[in-house]
Amino acid sequence: MNLKAGANTVRATATTADGGPNVDHVSVATGGQSADTPAAVNGQLRVCGTKLCNQYGKPVQLRGMSSHGTQWYSQCLTGGSLDALARDWNADVLRVSTYVQEGGYETDPRRFTDLVHSLIEQATARGLYVIVDWHQLTPGDPHHNLSRARTFFTEIAQRHGNKTNLLYEIANEPNGVSWANIKSYAEQLIPVIRRQDPETPVLVGTRAWSSLGVSDGSDENEITASPVNATNIMYTFHFYAASHREEYLGTLSRAADKLPVFVTEFGSQNSAGEGANDFTMTKRYIDLMAAKKISWVNWNFSDDERSGAVFKPGTCHANGPWTGTAPLKQAGVWIRDQIRTPDDFPTS
């Protein structure tokens, strides 16, 4: 239970005619999740209409950061960096990106699954929501990893399905395949998850690198015409503001009026997450997402050499410093300011 600072009354009440429990001992541990963290305030999230809603049925917007691939940058996810994300950045959500290929999950499923378990527990202790990101990218057909995804998400959902601070992102960026193919994958995997966890929202990747099909000359209408046959789901959209301009912004705006959309990855740079930052265009996206309560996660919480990584090179190897703006690149300073603005989490 969450206790407030100062005096608290803990009451055991009988629920049967046999009387109450025989309580010999009550212990109180410090350092757990505070009652005013994003996950504590909002509780179990659910999709209501086109919005992500909290335990009170009110639309909310989560804002936070995505890790880089944990096979390369797990050293950027430490107690100190997660403390900074939760308490200095005031983030709501951490996306844990488990690449399947490129030296990731398929090379050592036990190691990478255990790493996800650990990061979920660490983020939970800090009151953050966690997006469990199945980061398939190459090959772009999610069916290539369906068997692995079944194994991975079954274990994650078995162990953490009782938590109220998770979201499952089941296919990062499908590419080179049709929407029908992606839909088929989702409709096979979601029931596997639901057998273990009926509550947690599932985030479904969209065609053409999660662009809602725009990067392949399509748009959101292919999804509205043939939505995934499942409940409590959202569709993902990714953008990189220096490359993805008016057409992408307009698609996101239209789609959010028809579909539940979650922006699980974006940057202020070009589509490779590098080059000059276009903060003007990014702010247009930020303002749109705020107005329409579209939750978002920025790429990425690492010290990769690219301009889209928030920390200066060497920060993670040196184990910080993590707080303030000194260890941050230009993009890090800017996105930290966007995340630190006050949340609007209605509770009544």
Side-chain angles (χ1 to χ4, degrees):
M1 67 189 72
N2 290 312
L3 304 179
K4 64 182 184 296
N8 291 265
T9 299
V10 179
R11 183 176 292 111
T13 304
T15 58
T16 71
D18 297 326
N22 179 16
V23 178
D24 296 311
H25 176 77
V26 175
S27 62
V28 178
T30 61
Q33 188 185 121
S34 169
D36 62 357
T37 64
V41 171
N42 293 296
Q44 179 67 61
L45 302 173
R46 290 180 177 81
V47 180
C48 54
T50 60
K51 306 298 182 187
L52 184 64
C53 294
N54 64 13
Q55 62 182 327
Y56 304 101
K58 304 297 183 181
V60 295
Q61 181 195 39
L62 304 183
R63 299 171 298 169
M65 293 298 301
S66 175
S67 77
H68 205 316
T70 54
Q71 76 273 39
W72 300 310
Y73 292 99
S74 61
Q75 69 273 21
C76 298
L77 301 170
T78 70
S81 71
L82 294 178
D83 282 345
L85 184 64
R87 297 163 191 159
D88 180 52
W89 291 50
N90 298 332
D92 307 317
V93 57
L94 169 69
R95 181 184 189 231
V96 176
S97 293
T98 300
Y99 277 70
V100 189
Q101 277 73 47
E102 300 180 59
Y105 175 89
E106 69 175 2
T107 68
D108 192 343
R110 183 73 270 143
R111 173 194 164 205
F112 285 102
T113 304
D114 286 344
L115 182 55
V116 175
H117 288 318
S118 174
L119 290 169
I120 289 173
E121 297 296 353
Q122 292 182 66
T124 299
R126 291 162 174 82
L128 294 168
Y129 284 95
V130 184
I131 298 173
V132 180
D133 166 32
W134 186 244
H135 205 88
Q136 59 74 224
L137 184 61
T138 305
D141 182 353
H143 283 274
H144 179 81
N145 289 307
L146 178 57
S147 177
R148 297 181 183 95
R150 286 184 173 127
T151 300
F152 174 77
F153 280 107
T154 295
E155 180 170 334
I156 295 298
Q158 281 177 336
R159 185 174 301 189
H160 304 285
N162 63 336
K163 291 182 171 65
T164 58
N165 65 315
L166 297 190
L167 302 103
Y168 303 125
E169 184 176 1
I170 61 174
N172 164 59
E173 288 188 346
N175 58 87
V177 292
S178 67
W179 169 244
N181 181 290
I182 300 164
K183 177 185 173 184
S184 167
Y185 165 83
E187 290 178 349
Q188 292 179 69
L189 183 57
I190 291 172
V192 173
I193 295 172
R194 289 289 177 244
R195 283 195 285 272
Q196 311 300 327
D197 178 358
E199 301 284 346
T200 295
V202 173
L203 310 179
V204 179
T206 59
R207 185 152 72 97
W209 297 275
S210 284
S211 70
L212 293 166
V214 182
S215 292
D216 273 351
S218 186
D219 58 28
E220 75 284 357
N221 289 320
E222 68 181 16
I223 301 173
T224 58
S226 182
V228 171
N229 183 22
T231 59
N232 204 24
I233 67 169
M234 307 187 83
Y235 300 93
T236 66
F237 183 75
H238 295 176
F239 70 86
Y240 284 82
S243 295
H244 302 141
R245 314 296 290 181
E246 302 297 336
E247 184 179 10
Y248 289 78
L249 183 66
T251 299
L252 175 60
S253 180
R254 292 192 314 272
D257 293 336
K258 309 172 189 175
L259 298 165
V261 178
F262 197 125
V263 174
T264 56
E265 187 178 313
F266 79 90
S268 300
Q269 310 77 35
N270 65 22
S271 56
E274 56 192 22
N277 293 290
D278 187 338
F279 295 134
T280 300
M281 188 67 188
T282 310
K283 189 61 165 61
R284 292 179 61 192
Y285 277 103
I286 292 281
D287 290 345
L288 172 69
M289 292 187 290
K292 299 203 174 191
K293 292 277 191 183
I294 303 170
S295 296
W296 55 256
V297 175
N298 181 258
W299 181 269
N300 69 78
F301 199 64
S302 84
D303 62 354
D304 176 15
E305 73 279 2
R306 296 175 182 84
S307 53
V310 297
F311 293 111
K312 295 174 181 175
T315 301
C316 299
H317 179 74
N319 194 25
W322 303 111
T323 59
T325 59
L328 302 178
K329 296 176 189 168
Q330 185 184 26
V333 173
W334 193 86
I335 199 63
R336 175 177 174 270
D337 283 344
Q338 307 307 307
I339 293 174
R340 280 168 59 89
T341 58
D343 285 315
D344 176 19
F345 292 148
T347 58
S348 63

